[in-house]
Amino acid sequence: MESCPLIKNILLLDSEGKRVAVKYYSDDWPTLASKLAFEKSVFTKTQKTNARTEAEIGMFDSFIVVYKFISDLHFYVTGGDDANELILATVLQGFFDAVALLLRSNVEKRTALENLDLILLCLDEIVDGGIILDTEASLIAGRVETHGGDGGAPFSEQTISQALASAREHLTRSLLK
């Protein structure tokens, strides 16, 4: 398992350091308070940098953090102190590009919150349990869009009654198996 690079977390924060979408894959931060403290620390140390054109790399609390900003969103990928920065940067770029594809290049906080379901699915397609599954943005975005919902309508375009009907159908299928 030592040869397989592990991701500690992926963070998507707004321009004030508040959570938009976060996913932790390790027990290095056992409590919500420790997770929030780490996020605040990383955000505070990186907010003055100019990571808008290329990803930047930093060491925070003995973790390697690769980060990039666009508009009012801050993307972060964290690995252990022995992690390969190029692999972390590749994961970051895959997440960044997949989100841009899913949001149709309208990458800003409001659009991200409206499509939070797609972003969380995107995180699940990139990393599972800390293990990198895929970094190709077009493939990730394609899989997220296929999982987006039943009946051809993505989650973000379903009405509440459609979403409930879809959930009921899934539950019925799982009970009948």
PDB file of all heavy atoms in Angstrom, residues 94 97-98 101-102 121-122 125-126 133-147:
ATOM      1  N   GLY A  94      -7.386  17.835 -12.240  1.00  0.00           N
ATOM      2  CA  GLY A  94      -8.526  17.025 -12.673  1.00  0.00           C
ATOM      3  C   GLY A  94      -9.817  17.495 -12.025  1.00  0.00           C
ATOM      4  O   GLY A  94     -10.841  17.627 -12.690  1.00  0.00           O
ATOM      5  N   ASP A  97     -10.679  21.096 -13.446  1.00  0.00           N
ATOM      6  CA  ASP A  97     -11.197  21.044 -14.821  1.00  0.00           C
ATOM      7  C   ASP A  97     -12.562  20.364 -14.896  1.00  0.00           C
ATOM      8  O   ASP A  97     -13.430  20.787 -15.665  1.00  0.00           O
ATOM      9  CB  ASP A  97     -10.208  20.333 -15.743  1.00  0.00           C
ATOM     10  CG  ASP A  97      -8.927  21.129 -15.962  1.00  0.00           C
ATOM     11  OD1 ASP A  97      -8.921  22.348 -15.674  1.00  0.00           O
ATOM     12  OD2 ASP A  97      -7.926  20.531 -16.403  1.00  0.00           O
ATOM     13  N   ALA A  98     -12.769  19.304 -14.094  1.00  0.00           N
ATOM     14  CA  ALA A  98     -14.063  18.619 -14.092  1.00  0.00           C
ATOM     15  C   ALA A  98     -15.161  19.551 -13.583  1.00  0.00           C
ATOM     16  O   ALA A  98     -16.259  19.598 -14.142  1.00  0.00           O
ATOM     17  CB  ALA A  98     -13.997  17.350 -13.241  1.00  0.00           C
ATOM     18  N   LEU A 101     -16.001  21.963 -16.295  1.00  0.00           N
ATOM     19  CA  LEU A 101     -16.845  21.340 -17.320  1.00  0.00           C
ATOM     20  C   LEU A 101     -18.290  21.197 -16.835  1.00  0.00           C
ATOM     21  O   LEU A 101     -19.229  21.495 -17.572  1.00  0.00           O
ATOM     22  CB  LEU A 101     -16.300  19.961 -17.692  1.00  0.00           C
ATOM     23  CG  LEU A 101     -15.057  19.932 -18.566  1.00  0.00           C
ATOM     24  CD1 LEU A 101     -14.499  18.516 -18.651  1.00  0.00           C
ATOM     25  CD2 LEU A 101     -15.370  20.462 -19.954  1.00  0.00           C
ATOM     26  N   LEU A 102     -18.453  20.738 -15.595  1.00  0.00           N
ATOM     27  CA  LEU A 102     -19.797  20.531 -15.054  1.00  0.00           C
ATOM     28  C   LEU A 102     -20.559  21.833 -14.881  1.00  0.00           C
ATOM     29  O   LEU A 102     -21.774  21.878 -15.052  1.00  0.00           O
ATOM     30  CB  LEU A 102     -19.721  19.791 -13.719  1.00  0.00           C
ATOM     31  CG  LEU A 102     -19.287  18.330 -13.811  1.00  0.00           C
ATOM     32  CD1 LEU A 102     -18.955  17.783 -12.433  1.00  0.00           C
ATOM     33  CD2 LEU A 102     -20.360  17.490 -14.482  1.00  0.00           C
ATOM     34  N   LEU A 121     -20.473  14.455  -6.326  1.00  0.00           N
ATOM     35  CA  LEU A 121     -20.299  13.265  -7.162  1.00  0.00           C
ATOM     36  C   LEU A 121     -18.930  13.279  -7.842  1.00  0.00           C
ATOM     37  O   LEU A 121     -18.287  12.239  -7.981  1.00  0.00           O
ATOM     38  CB  LEU A 121     -21.406  13.177  -8.212  1.00  0.00           C
ATOM     39  CG  LEU A 121     -22.765  12.678  -7.739  1.00  0.00           C
ATOM     40  CD1 LEU A 121     -23.812  12.853  -8.835  1.00  0.00           C
ATOM     41  CD2 LEU A 121     -22.699  11.237  -7.296  1.00  0.00           C
ATOM     42  N   CYS A 122     -18.506  14.453  -8.254  1.00  0.00           N
ATOM     43  CA  CYS A 122     -17.198  14.625  -8.876  1.00  0.00           C
ATOM     44  C   CYS A 122     -16.087  14.190  -7.912  1.00  0.00           C
ATOM     45  O   CYS A 122     -15.161  13.468  -8.291  1.00  0.00           O
ATOM     46  CB  CYS A 122     -17.034  16.082  -9.289  1.00  0.00           C
ATOM     47  SG  CYS A 122     -15.520  16.466 -10.143  1.00  0.00           S
ATOM     48  N   GLU A 125     -15.926  10.497  -7.753  1.00  0.00           N
ATOM     49  CA  GLU A 125     -15.361   9.885  -8.953  1.00  0.00           C
ATOM     50  C   GLU A 125     -13.839  10.019  -9.008  1.00  0.00           C
ATOM     51  O   GLU A 125     -13.171   9.214  -9.647  1.00  0.00           O
ATOM     52  CB  GLU A 125     -15.963  10.511 -10.216  1.00  0.00           C
ATOM     53  CG  GLU A 125     -17.410  10.164 -10.451  1.00  0.00           C
ATOM     54  CD  GLU A 125     -17.628   8.703 -10.806  1.00  0.00           C
ATOM     55  OE1 GLU A 125     -16.718   8.046 -11.336  1.00  0.00           O
ATOM     56  OE2 GLU A 125     -18.733   8.205 -10.536  1.00  0.00           O
ATOM     57  N   ILE A 126     -13.285  11.026  -8.342  1.00  0.00           N
ATOM     58  CA  ILE A 126     -11.849  11.275  -8.388  1.00  0.00           C
ATOM     59  C   ILE A 126     -11.107  10.431  -7.352  1.00  0.00           C
ATOM     60  O   ILE A 126     -10.101   9.795  -7.666  1.00  0.00           O
ATOM     61  CB  ILE A 126     -11.544  12.771  -8.167  1.00  0.00           C
ATOM     62  CG1 ILE A 126     -12.132  13.585  -9.312  1.00  0.00           C
ATOM     63  CG2 ILE A 126     -10.055  13.014  -8.044  1.00  0.00           C
ATOM     64  CD1 ILE A 126     -12.093  15.075  -9.103  1.00  0.00           C
ATOM     65  N   LEU A 133      -8.746   7.508  -8.113  1.00  0.00           N
ATOM     66  CA  LEU A 133      -9.409   6.676  -9.114  1.00  0.00           C
ATOM     67  C   LEU A 133      -9.193   7.202 -10.523  1.00  0.00           C
ATOM     68  O   LEU A 133      -8.970   6.432 -11.451  1.00  0.00           O
ATOM     69  CB  LEU A 133     -10.913   6.606  -8.829  1.00  0.00           C
ATOM     70  CG  LEU A 133     -11.325   6.030  -7.477  1.00  0.00           C
ATOM     71  CD1 LEU A 133     -12.835   6.121  -7.307  1.00  0.00           C
ATOM     72  CD2 LEU A 133     -10.861   4.594  -7.350  1.00  0.00           C
ATOM     73  N   ASP A 134      -9.292   8.514 -10.692  1.00  0.00           N
ATOM     74  CA  ASP A 134      -9.202   9.096 -12.023  1.00  0.00           C
ATOM     75  C   ASP A 134      -8.841  10.571 -11.918  1.00  0.00           C
ATOM     76  O   ASP A 134      -9.200  11.227 -10.937  1.00  0.00           O
ATOM     77  CB  ASP A 134     -10.538   8.956 -12.747  1.00  0.00           C
ATOM     78  CG  ASP A 134     -10.417   9.080 -14.253  1.00  0.00           C
ATOM     79  OD1 ASP A 134      -9.323   9.448 -14.734  1.00  0.00           O
ATOM     80  OD2 ASP A 134     -11.405   8.816 -14.950  1.00  0.00           O
ATOM     81  N   THR A 135      -8.127  11.079 -12.910  1.00  0.00           N
ATOM     82  CA  THR A 135      -7.788  12.500 -12.936  1.00  0.00           C
ATOM     83  C   THR A 135      -8.121  13.148 -14.275  1.00  0.00           C
ATOM     84  O   THR A 135      -7.833  14.320 -14.473  1.00  0.00           O
ATOM     85  CB  THR A 135      -6.284  12.720 -12.646  1.00  0.00           C
ATOM     86  OG1 THR A 135      -5.510  12.024 -13.627  1.00  0.00           O
ATOM     87  CG2 THR A 135      -5.916  12.239 -11.257  1.00  0.00           C
ATOM     88  N   GLU A 136      -8.721  12.391 -15.182  1.00  0.00           N
ATOM     89  CA  GLU A 136      -9.080  12.918 -16.498  1.00  0.00           C
ATOM     90  C   GLU A 136     -10.420  13.633 -16.399  1.00  0.00           C
ATOM     91  O   GLU A 136     -11.468  13.004 -16.252  1.00  0.00           O
ATOM     92  CB  GLU A 136      -9.143  11.775 -17.519  1.00  0.00           C
ATOM     93  CG  GLU A 136      -9.472  12.217 -18.914  1.00  0.00           C
ATOM     94  CD  GLU A 136      -8.432  13.154 -19.501  1.00  0.00           C
ATOM     95  OE1 GLU A 136      -7.231  12.917 -19.295  1.00  0.00           O
ATOM     96  OE2 GLU A 136      -8.848  14.135 -20.142  1.00  0.00           O
ATOM     97  N   ALA A 137     -10.402  14.952 -16.514  1.00  0.00           N
ATOM     98  CA  ALA A 137     -11.582  15.786 -16.265  1.00  0.00           C
ATOM     99  C   ALA A 137     -12.775  15.420 -17.142  1.00  0.00           C
ATOM    100  O   ALA A 137     -13.900  15.357 -16.651  1.00  0.00           O
ATOM    101  CB  ALA A 137     -11.229  17.256 -16.455  1.00  0.00           C
ATOM    102  N   SER A 138     -12.561  15.168 -18.420  1.00  0.00           N
ATOM    103  CA  SER A 138     -13.691  14.880 -19.306  1.00  0.00           C
ATOM    104  C   SER A 138     -14.359  13.558 -18.942  1.00  0.00           C
ATOM    105  O   SER A 138     -15.589  13.441 -18.999  1.00  0.00           O
ATOM    106  CB  SER A 138     -13.241  14.872 -20.767  1.00  0.00           C
ATOM    107  OG  SER A 138     -12.226  13.909 -20.963  1.00  0.00           O
ATOM    108  N   LEU A 139     -13.565  12.564 -18.528  1.00  0.00           N
ATOM    109  CA  LEU A 139     -14.141  11.286 -18.117  1.00  0.00           C
ATOM    110  C   LEU A 139     -14.901  11.426 -16.803  1.00  0.00           C
ATOM    111  O   LEU A 139     -15.985  10.864 -16.633  1.00  0.00           O
ATOM    112  CB  LEU A 139     -13.045  10.224 -17.964  1.00  0.00           C
ATOM    113  CG  LEU A 139     -12.312   9.837 -19.242  1.00  0.00           C
ATOM    114  CD1 LEU A 139     -11.169   8.876 -18.929  1.00  0.00           C
ATOM    115  CD2 LEU A 139     -13.269   9.218 -20.240  1.00  0.00           C
ATOM    116  N   ILE A 140     -14.329  12.180 -15.875  1.00  0.00           N
ATOM    117  CA  ILE A 140     -14.979  12.408 -14.575  1.00  0.00           C
ATOM    118  C   ILE A 140     -16.314  13.120 -14.783  1.00  0.00           C
ATOM    119  O   ILE A 140     -17.346  12.687 -14.275  1.00  0.00           O
ATOM    120  CB  ILE A 140     -14.065  13.230 -13.644  1.00  0.00           C
ATOM    121  CG1 ILE A 140     -12.803  12.440 -13.304  1.00  0.00           C
ATOM    122  CG2 ILE A 140     -14.799  13.640 -12.381  1.00  0.00           C
ATOM    123  CD1 ILE A 140     -11.681  13.284 -12.719  1.00  0.00           C
ATOM    124  N   ALA A 141     -16.289  14.208 -15.542  1.00  0.00           N
ATOM    125  CA  ALA A 141     -17.509  14.979 -15.792  1.00  0.00           C
ATOM    126  C   ALA A 141     -18.546  14.124 -16.523  1.00  0.00           C
ATOM    127  O   ALA A 141     -19.742  14.189 -16.223  1.00  0.00           O
ATOM    128  CB  ALA A 141     -17.190  16.237 -16.592  1.00  0.00           C
ATOM    129  N   GLY A 142     -18.110  13.296 -17.454  1.00  0.00           N
ATOM    130  CA  GLY A 142     -19.028  12.426 -18.178  1.00  0.00           C
ATOM    131  C   GLY A 142     -19.709  11.425 -17.263  1.00  0.00           C
ATOM    132  O   GLY A 142     -20.915  11.206 -17.351  1.00  0.00           O
ATOM    133  N   ARG A 143     -18.925  10.819 -16.347  1.00  0.00           N
ATOM    134  CA  ARG A 143     -19.519   9.858 -15.401  1.00  0.00           C
ATOM    135  C   ARG A 143     -20.467  10.545 -14.432  1.00  0.00           C
ATOM    136  O   ARG A 143     -21.508  10.006 -14.084  1.00  0.00           O
ATOM    137  CB  ARG A 143     -18.419   9.112 -14.651  1.00  0.00           C
ATOM    138  CG  ARG A 143     -17.833   7.965 -15.464  1.00  0.00           C
ATOM    139  CD  ARG A 143     -17.084   6.983 -14.600  1.00  0.00           C
ATOM    140  NE  ARG A 143     -16.022   7.585 -13.840  1.00  0.00           N
ATOM    141  CZ  ARG A 143     -14.774   7.748 -14.266  1.00  0.00           C
ATOM    142  NH1 ARG A 143     -14.442   7.361 -15.475  1.00  0.00           N
ATOM    143  NH2 ARG A 143     -13.864   8.290 -13.498  1.00  0.00           N
ATOM    144  N   VAL A 144     -20.105  11.753 -13.994  1.00  0.00           N
ATOM    145  CA  VAL A 144     -20.977  12.492 -13.081  1.00  0.00           C
ATOM    146  C   VAL A 144     -22.299  12.818 -13.765  1.00  0.00           C
ATOM    147  O   VAL A 144     -23.362  12.672 -13.171  1.00  0.00           O
ATOM    148  CB  VAL A 144     -20.288  13.782 -12.567  1.00  0.00           C
ATOM    149  CG1 VAL A 144     -21.273  14.714 -11.900  1.00  0.00           C
ATOM    150  CG2 VAL A 144     -19.160  13.428 -11.606  1.00  0.00           C
ATOM    151  N   GLU A 145     -22.236  13.242 -15.018  1.00  0.00           N
ATOM    152  CA  GLU A 145     -23.462  13.570 -15.744  1.00  0.00           C
ATOM    153  C   GLU A 145     -24.331  12.343 -15.987  1.00  0.00           C
ATOM    154  O   GLU A 145     -25.544  12.431 -15.977  1.00  0.00           O
ATOM    155  CB  GLU A 145     -23.125  14.274 -17.057  1.00  0.00           C
ATOM    156  CG  GLU A 145     -22.640  15.689 -16.832  1.00  0.00           C
ATOM    157  CD  GLU A 145     -22.161  16.377 -18.095  1.00  0.00           C
ATOM    158  OE1 GLU A 145     -21.886  15.690 -19.106  1.00  0.00           O
ATOM    159  OE2 GLU A 145     -22.031  17.607 -18.060  1.00  0.00           O
ATOM    160  N   THR A 146     -23.702  11.164 -16.179  1.00  0.00           N
ATOM    161  CA  THR A 146     -24.496   9.946 -16.363  1.00  0.00           C
ATOM    162  C   THR A 146     -25.162   9.515 -15.064  1.00  0.00           C
ATOM    163  O   THR A 146     -26.277   9.015 -15.094  1.00  0.00           O
ATOM    164  CB  THR A 146     -23.631   8.754 -16.823  1.00  0.00           C
ATOM    165  OG1 THR A 146     -22.287   9.107 -16.913  1.00  0.00           O
ATOM    166  CG2 THR A 146     -24.114   8.161 -18.084  1.00  0.00           C
ATOM    167  N   HIS A 147     -24.498   9.741 -13.940  1.00  0.00           N
ATOM    168  CA  HIS A 147     -25.080   9.395 -12.638  1.00  0.00           C
ATOM    169  C   HIS A 147     -26.013  10.484 -12.147  1.00  0.00           C
ATOM    170  O   HIS A 147     -26.631  10.344 -11.111  1.00  0.00           O
ATOM    171  CB  HIS A 147     -23.992   9.190 -11.580  1.00  0.00           C
ATOM    172  CG  HIS A 147     -23.083   8.049 -11.862  1.00  0.00           C
ATOM    173  ND1 HIS A 147     -23.537   6.813 -12.265  1.00  0.00           N
ATOM    174  CD2 HIS A 147     -21.738   7.947 -11.800  1.00  0.00           C
ATOM    175  CE1 HIS A 147     -22.507   6.015 -12.434  1.00  0.00           C
ATOM    176  NE2 HIS A 147     -21.407   6.671 -12.171  1.00  0.00           N
TER     177      HIS A 147
END
